[in-house]
Amino acid sequence: MVLFNNSLIRLDYNPATDIMEVEYPDLHDYLLPEIKRSVDILLDTVKNYDVKRLLLDSTRTIISVGDVESREIATYLAAGLARTRVQKVARVQSPSATVENTAQQNIRHISQVQALPFKLENFSSKALALEWLGGKA
């Protein structure tokens, strides 16, 4: 069931599997304030529905911001998720080497500055990510 949908993100939740699917938004300078608001909506929805499994789909993400801005959004999301009861986060990788390189740098940075209370894994396909999320937490 679609819980939220705007031009940036779509939150699709399956209560039977307790998996929320989110398409990671494009990162453009002019969208950064709206992206933060969308992340807040995502975090509030995760809390309200007590979501334990989250799938972040980066397959269509476009990044046109610098490393600092990209890292800031990723860190903001990770810190927010750390304050929820999420147990597993699966990230579907982007086919773009540039986007994937930025994402991997952000994940390394986040892992160094904060201990994440949830498992985080990257996958090459949505099917593999959903399979991992569907297993025991």
Side-chain angles (χ1 to χ4, degrees), residues 1-48:
M1 90 181 119
V2 176
L3 300 179
F4 182 80
N5 190 15
N6 69 10
S7 61
L8 294 177
I9 65 167
R10 175 184 165 109
L11 306 179
D12 198 358
Y13 180 61
N14 182 340
T17 60
D18 192 29
I19 295 174
M20 181 182 291
E21 295 182 32
V22 182
E23 285 193 17
Y24 202 74
D26 292 339
L27 300 181
H28 302 294
D29 282 330
Y30 64 92
L31 289 176
L32 289 177
E34 188 58 36
I35 291 169
K36 275 199 167 177
R37 277 194 286 284
S38 293
V39 169
D40 288 338
I41 291 166
L42 164 64
L43 296 172
D44 286 345
T45 306
V46 165
K47 286 178 190 170
N48 291 338

Side-chain angles (χ1 to χ4, degrees), residues 1-136:
M1 90 181 119
V2 176
L3 300 179
F4 182 80
N5 190 15
N6 69 10
S7 61
L8 294 177
I9 65 167
R10 175 184 165 109
L11 306 179
D12 198 358
Y13 180 61
N14 182 340
T17 60
D18 192 29
I19 295 174
M20 181 182 291
E21 295 182 32
V22 182
E23 285 193 17
Y24 202 74
D26 292 339
L27 300 181
H28 302 294
D29 282 330
Y30 64 92
L31 289 176
L32 289 177
E34 188 58 36
I35 291 169
K36 275 199 167 177
R37 277 194 286 284
S38 293
V39 169
D40 288 338
I41 291 166
L42 164 64
L43 296 172
D44 286 345
T45 306
V46 165
K47 286 178 190 170
N48 291 338
Y49 282 82
D50 198 24
V51 174
K52 303 288 189 309
R53 297 174 177 97
L54 183 65
L55 183 141
L56 295 176
D57 188 344
S58 300
T59 54
R60 295 188 209 153
T61 301
I62 298 168
I63 297 177
S64 68
V65 297
D67 291 344
V68 172
E69 294 87 357
S70 175
R71 184 175 301 131
E72 180 182 322
I73 293 293
T75 303
Y76 186 73
L77 174 60
L81 288 173
R83 293 188 303 272
T84 69
R85 292 173 22 114
V86 165
Q87 297 170 354
K88 287 182 162 184
V89 176
R91 184 182 164 277
V92 182
Q93 298 171 334
S94 170
S96 163
T98 305
V99 170
E100 202 49 39
N101 184 42
T102 299
Q104 293 306 319
Q105 288 176 5
N106 290 344
I107 290 169
R108 276 193 298 278
H109 172 77
I110 291 165
S111 297
Q112 290 170 354
V113 298
Q114 69 186 59
L116 297 177
F118 51 84
K119 296 175 185 173
L120 172 64
E121 295 287 335
N122 283 305
F123 296 91
S124 58
S125 75
K126 185 175 175 179
L128 290 172
L130 287 170
E131 185 179 318
W132 179 77
L133 285 171
K136 296 193 192 260

